[in-house]
Amino acid sequence: GAETEEQALLGDKDEGGAETEEQELAAISDEELAEVKELQAQGVQRILTEPYLQKLHGRMDKDRDGKVTAEEAEEFADHVFSNLGEQADVRDILYEVDTSGDSLVSLEEHLADAARQAWDPKTEKRKFALADTNGDQMLDTSELKTLITPAMGSDIMLLEMEEQIKGMDANHDGKLSKDEWIQDALKDHEDVEGEAAGAETKREMNEAFGRLDKNKDSFLQPAELAVWEMGKYHLDKHLAEVVAIADEDHDGQVTEEELVQARDKIASLEASGRMLDLVELSEGKDL
């Protein structure tokens, strides 16, 4: 549909302003330029252009050999997910929570906000302590970012996953089995989207469980569940699909030219929008 096509064409627009945009538009074909202008007339500002795909390739190509493997694409995603907290804009949250107006969040202020959200106070106290890295009983904006948007593998993220597991652990054995995980997901799914959608979700989650269960103990540990809950499982899967589609000569590696030539195929994938977010999140980072 139109929404999917629009999302597929969304790309990165640097903060450099009109000059950067003009440079990108000058590098594309007349046909693509017409498409860009049509979308811009509809209010779409970020476009998947050839320069954008070149930038994406460069960000994923860790060893700078001119080729990207599925492993490099996954490692690129790992890096971005490990730094998500740096990207969080907490100004609005600080404004709401900081009732004293000192530009800091105290434990009392955080617990008051947690009560409004009906969050578990014991868990929130533990998360606050983990975020309070200097131990002054106050969270500055940097510490607040780690509380609100914890990075993959961080203690706060693992604590959140432990609490989620408790909520899904139907037999209360302290573990999350495949059946418990899938049944919890299906509770709302079938009611909202119907039996067929529920069956598709069950099939997908059965497949996902095998990939998420890295230690093969037939249960999901907090770190394993986080890969799903944070969206990284789907991102890794989609990026691997992009590499496979663009790899025209089937050598397991994608050159910049192959990625650009596969633009139309990539634009039809759900992965395209996720890739665009990756480049935007990775700007200014040392990979």
Side-chain angles (χ1 to χ4, degrees):
E3 182 178 353
T4 300
E5 292 173 0
E6 178 176 299
Q7 290 172 343
L9 287 164
L10 293 180
D12 177 53
K13 181 182 177 183
D14 291 333
E15 295 180 358
E19 182 179 353
T20 300
E21 184 177 3
E22 289 173 2
Q23 290 172 346
E24 290 202 0
L25 295 181
I28 64 179
S29 67
D30 291 342
E31 181 180 350
E32 190 173 11
L33 180 60
E35 184 179 23
V36 167
K37 289 184 175 180
E38 180 181 350
L39 285 168
Q40 288 180 333
Q42 300 170 13
V44 179
Q45 296 298 320
R46 299 166 59 219
I47 311 298
L48 178 58
T49 61
E50 180 174 329
Y52 179 84
L53 286 172
Q54 292 169 337
K55 181 189 292 185
L56 172 64
H57 189 278
R59 299 299 287 171
M60 292 192 293
D61 182 16
K62 183 178 180 181
D63 61 11
R64 305 300 183 221
D65 68 348
K67 299 178 181 180
V68 171
T69 64
E71 290 75 18
E72 283 181 310
E74 184 173 345
E75 189 170 349
F76 173 60
D78 287 343
H79 177 81
V80 173
F81 269 87
S82 70
N83 291 280
L84 280 180
E86 296 178 13
Q87 304 295 329
D89 186 347
V90 297
R91 287 173 296 182
D92 290 342
I93 296 173
L94 182 63
Y95 179 78
E96 293 178 6
V97 179
D98 174 28
T99 55
S100 67
D102 61 359
S103 297
L104 298 168
V105 175
S106 67
L107 176 59
E108 291 72 21
E109 288 170 330
H110 176 59
L111 291 179
D113 181 61
R116 289 191 293 270
Q117 308 284 352
W119 296 335
D120 177 50
K122 291 182 179 180
T123 301
E124 294 308 312
K125 284 183 181 179
R126 293 174 62 191
K127 288 168 59 178
F128 186 96
L130 290 169
D132 181 22
T133 54
N134 63 7
D136 65 354
Q137 305 300 308
M138 306 289 284
L139 300 185
D140 58 25
T141 54
S142 178
E143 292 170 326
L144 185 58
K145 285 181 180 182
T146 66
L147 177 67
I148 301 302
T149 314
M152 278 293 278
S154 69
D155 290 338
I156 295 176
M157 172 58 67
L158 296 179
L159 177 56
E160 289 185 355
M161 294 302 103
E162 287 175 9
E163 292 302 310
Q164 287 203 35
I165 287 174
K166 288 179 183 178
M168 293 184 277
D169 179 19
N171 65 2
H172 306 293
D173 64 353
K175 302 176 181 180
L176 182 60
S177 67
K178 180 170 68 174
D179 288 343
E180 288 172 329
W181 182 55
I182 293 176
Q183 288 306 313
D184 183 82
L186 292 178
K187 282 190 300 188
D188 299 323
H189 221 71
E190 292 182 350
D191 291 340
V192 175
E193 300 183 17
E195 187 174 336
E200 176 61 22
T201 298
K202 187 174 182 179
R203 184 201 63 76
E204 179 187 8
M205 294 184 75
N206 264 301
E207 176 187 341
F209 190 93
R211 297 185 182 185
L212 294 170
D213 181 22
K214 295 293 187 183
N215 64 1
K216 304 303 177 186
D217 66 350
S218 300
F219 298 98
L220 289 185
Q221 306 300 323
E224 295 169 337
L225 180 62
V227 175
W228 176 270
E229 292 294 334
M230 292 285 285
K232 189 175 181 303
Y233 169 83
H234 290 92
L235 181 59
D236 288 342
K237 182 179 178 181
H238 291 323
L239 283 177
E241 185 177 7
V242 167
V243 170
I245 287 175
D247 182 17
E248 189 173 354
D249 59 8
H250 307 293
D251 65 349
Q253 303 175 100
V254 174
T255 64
E256 181 183 285
E257 182 181 1
E258 285 178 321
L259 187 65
V260 170
Q261 288 179 346
R263 176 186 180 275
D264 290 342
K265 294 179 181 178
I266 294 171
S268 68
L269 298 175
E270 182 183 350
S272 57
R274 296 174 184 270
M275 290 162 53
L276 303 170
D277 291 337
L278 267 181
V279 172
E280 190 169 83
L281 286 170
S282 68
E283 287 298 326
K285 296 184 183 299
D286 294 327
L287 298 179

